Amino acid sequence: MELHVVIEGDKDLAGQLYRQLKDAIRSGRLAAGEKLPPSRLFAEQLGLSRKTVSQAYARLTLDKLLTGRVGSGTFVADGAARRQAPMAPARPLAGAAMAEHWRGMRTPLRHPAPAGSSRYEFIGGAPARDLFPHADWRRCVLHALRQGARSRGLYGDAEGLRELRDGIARHASFSRGVRCAAADILVTNGAQQALDLIARVLVEPGSTVAMEEPGYPPARLLLSAQGANVVGVPVDGEGLVVERIPDGTRLIYVTPAHQFPLGMPMSERRRKALLARAAALGAVVIEDDYDSEFRYEGRPTDSLQSMDTHGCVAFVGTFSKTLSPDLRLGYLIAPPAVLEAVGTAKHLSDWHTSTPAQWALAKFMADGDLHKHIRRCHAAYAARRERIVRRFADDLSPWFELVPATAGIHLAALCRREFDVAQLIALARRVDVGLYPLAPFFHFSAPRQGLMLGYGAIDETDIDPALDRVRDVLQQLG
């Protein structure tokens, strides 16, 4: 790889080279420890004499910007770079207002430090790292690399690898009763891209979009960023209050299997009412099925997509909760009316999802490893959930009440009496317990005070010691 240097004319050649290399080092473009090309090779690349390059290297060495290592070569000296102030535009950018809008946007759930760093972590949305099937996944990655070696090295289909779409169709049909074929599926970079693609093809500035209140903040912010007028629709014990969906709504976002963040499932009566309301409005319903593979009690409920007779439900799934967020793999089962449109949007925005990752997941699913992994995780999560439920029905009951939930990897605990939840969280962090509030998930109404208790990232044996510390902090608060 050639080092970028431009030599003009045939005068002061060593000086030109010296100044350009000096600027590259001082600006940090050439980092400390970076090896420069040997003088003979560099001279050939630039069309200069070796003597000219050696003169420039010698001056930079005298300036203590370069250092020579016998038998190794010439390197940028430590401490040679200086941090430069970023360039300021000569006049305000034409798009400054829009850039400022994005810069100032809150980004909840990004989990900056110290989130996720305590010994005992109740962080939501995180699966168990210790349960990840490394050996099985490694075998599937090797299979993916072999497939890549046989490929023609061309771009893939925007909709995704056919073998993976077949696997997803079987999985969604088997586990959620979804009615689909591989041709109905679009592989995405996580569920968030699926939401973005639907918004791209359906939302215009001023479009009314309805979503649950409380709800999933990244979905609200993403839809707002597309120019939508996002309206919060309250939820109760049966889920979304359908009659509060406003007229003119174009898109409805719901989490019916495990309402985010409170956790209650949407009743069958409400599901039917929602589908009827969507059909009357001509609206598309986004069914975000983010963690329903883990169900612990009650009878299975139909997905909205399986109940839909009007082609108005877009079913969004993800492997972030079942496997790992690191994979960034999800899928969209789109209704016929928007399927081709979202495929075009996917093609234009990122062409296609990483092919090796798709091959690996397709193999993982075809070999039955996904179902095996889900069963293993289900047993572990059920035991963790039971411990939390037991404690909140016992010594933590004076302060909190759990919202009934039948699925997922988190529970919501609502405060029974007034106390400072922020102070509880801060004091718990001091004793190495990571707690997270419910309040940030409310946007359109006054927040209810409580906690979101994820149990994917905490070991079963750590739950009681962690909750002992929480109880002790609560007793200190009075």
Side-chain angles (χ1 to χ4, degrees):
M1 190 166 59
E2 295 186 4
L3 174 60
H4 180 73
V5 171
V6 177
I7 301 296
E8 297 180 351
D10 55 4
K11 295 182 179 180
D12 189 24
L13 301 179
Q16 289 189 55
L17 180 57
Y18 164 79
R19 287 188 291 273
Q20 290 198 51
L21 291 176
K22 181 179 180 179
D23 178 68
I25 293 168
R26 289 296 195 195
S27 67
R29 187 162 61 87
L30 286 177
E34 188 88 42
K35 184 177 181 179
L36 269 66
S39 58
R40 185 186 301 277
L41 176 61
F42 203 17
E44 292 175 359
Q45 292 172 352
L46 297 176
L48 302 174
S49 70
R50 185 180 181 187
K51 179 181 178 181
T52 298
V53 175
S54 297
Q55 287 175 348
Y57 279 10
R59 289 182 63 183
L60 292 165
T61 302
L62 287 174
D63 291 345
K64 297 184 178 179
L65 297 178
L66 294 182
T67 181
R69 301 177 192 171
V70 178
S72 297
T74 304
F75 298 83
V76 178
D78 292 339
R82 296 175 183 170
R83 184 176 181 181
Q84 291 187 326
M87 288 189 300
R91 56 186 298 176
L93 294 175
M98 182 58 71
E100 180 62 23
H101 166 72
W102 280 93
R103 189 189 70 81
M105 189 177 292
R106 291 178 60 251
T107 51
L109 304 188
R110 288 185 74 167
H111 299 317
S117 60
S118 296
R119 176 183 176 185
Y120 303 115
E121 267 298 337
F122 289 99
I123 193 166
R129 288 180 296 179
D130 60 315
L131 296 179
F132 186 83
H134 291 282
D136 291 334
W137 185 252
R138 188 180 302 111
R139 172 175 47 80
C140 294
V141 169
L142 291 174
H143 169 79
L145 293 175
R146 289 193 294 271
Q147 294 298 319
R150 300 191 194 103
S151 74
R152 294 176 297 164
L154 303 177
Y155 290 100
D157 293 332
E159 292 77 11
L161 193 69
R162 177 63 190 231
E163 288 79 357
L164 178 56
R165 294 160 69 199
D166 282 334
I168 291 172
R170 290 193 297 271
H171 171 72
S173 299
F174 180 87
S175 64
R176 296 294 292 124
V178 172
R179 293 176 294 145
C180 66
D184 304 316
I185 294 171
L186 188 78
V187 178
T188 61
N189 300 315
Q192 197 69 14
Q193 187 185 42
L195 302 181
D196 177 71
L197 293 173
I198 297 170
R200 284 173 186 262
V201 303
L202 291 179
V203 172
E204 299 173 295
S207 301
T208 299
V209 174
M211 67 174 295
E212 299 161 323
E213 169 70 2
Y216 183 53
R220 172 176 54 79
L221 291 166
L222 186 152
L223 293 163
S224 296
Q226 298 281 7
N229 171 35
V230 182
V231 177
V233 179
V235 299
D236 60 17
E238 293 187 72
L240 187 81
V241 181
V242 174
E243 55 266 28
R244 298 285 294 274
I245 298 173
D247 292 339
T249 295
R250 181 177 295 192
L251 196 61
I252 305 167
Y253 172 85
V254 290
T255 51
H258 185 220
Q259 200 279 329
F260 188 91
L262 296 180
M264 78 288 281
M266 185 181 292
S267 69
E268 184 176 358
R269 181 176 71 90
R270 286 282 173 82
R271 292 170 189 245
K272 291 178 179 179
L274 173 58
L275 292 172
R277 178 67 169 150
L281 292 168
V284 167
V285 177
I286 300 176
E287 180 177 13
D288 190 345
D289 198 67
Y290 63 101
D291 66 358
S292 70
E293 284 92 346
F294 304 112
R295 187 178 56 81
Y296 311 103
E297 57 185 66
R299 294 178 178 175
T301 55
D302 286 328
S303 63
L304 282 174
Q305 195 271 0
S306 67
M307 300 170 64
D308 178 24
T309 58
H310 296 91
C312 64
V313 175
F315 186 92
V316 174
T318 179
F319 297 96
S320 294
K321 307 299 186 294
T322 50
L323 281 170
S324 172
D326 290 340
L327 300 179
R328 300 310 305 140
L329 286 169
Y331 58 93
L332 167 63
I333 301 174
V338 300
L339 178 60
E340 186 175 352
V342 292
T344 301
K346 166 79 172 172
H347 172 78
L348 294 177
S349 61
D350 80 341
W351 205 304
H352 63 83
T353 298
S354 168
T355 304
Q358 292 188 67
W359 272 118
L361 182 55
K363 174 70 171 174
F364 191 78
M365 298 177 79
D367 289 353
D369 294 321
L370 179 62
H371 287 157
K372 181 174 68 176
H373 175 65
I374 289 174
R375 288 195 301 270
R376 183 185 177 202
C377 289
H378 184 280
Y381 294 155
R384 299 174 192 185
R385 178 179 179 273
E386 178 57 33
R387 285 204 180 216
I388 294 173
V389 170
R390 186 171 64 246
R391 289 298 297 274
F392 276 81
D394 188 16
D395 55 340
L396 293 171
S397 61
W399 293 277
F400 290 103
E401 175 185 9
L402 290 179
V403 178
T406 61
I409 56 174
H410 80 265
L411 289 162
L414 299 175
C415 295
R416 288 184 184 271
R417 61 191 192 193
E418 291 289 331
F419 63 89
D420 191 337
V421 173
Q423 187 179 12
L424 166 65
I425 291 171
L427 293 174
R429 182 75 63 182
R430 292 184 186 178
V431 294
D432 232 8
V433 180
L435 297 177
Y436 299 87
L438 275 177
F441 303 108
F442 291 81
H443 179 75
F444 301 98
S445 59
R448 296 192 66 179
Q449 296 302 311
L451 299 173
M452 181 179 180
L453 297 158
Y455 46 85
I458 187 168
D459 192 80
E460 180 188 354
T461 58
D462 287 337
I463 290 175
D464 282 327
L467 294 181
D468 286 343
R469 299 184 184 196
V470 173
R471 178 202 58 211
D472 293 344
V473 172
L474 286 165
Q475 289 173 345
Q476 292 173 24
L477 291 174

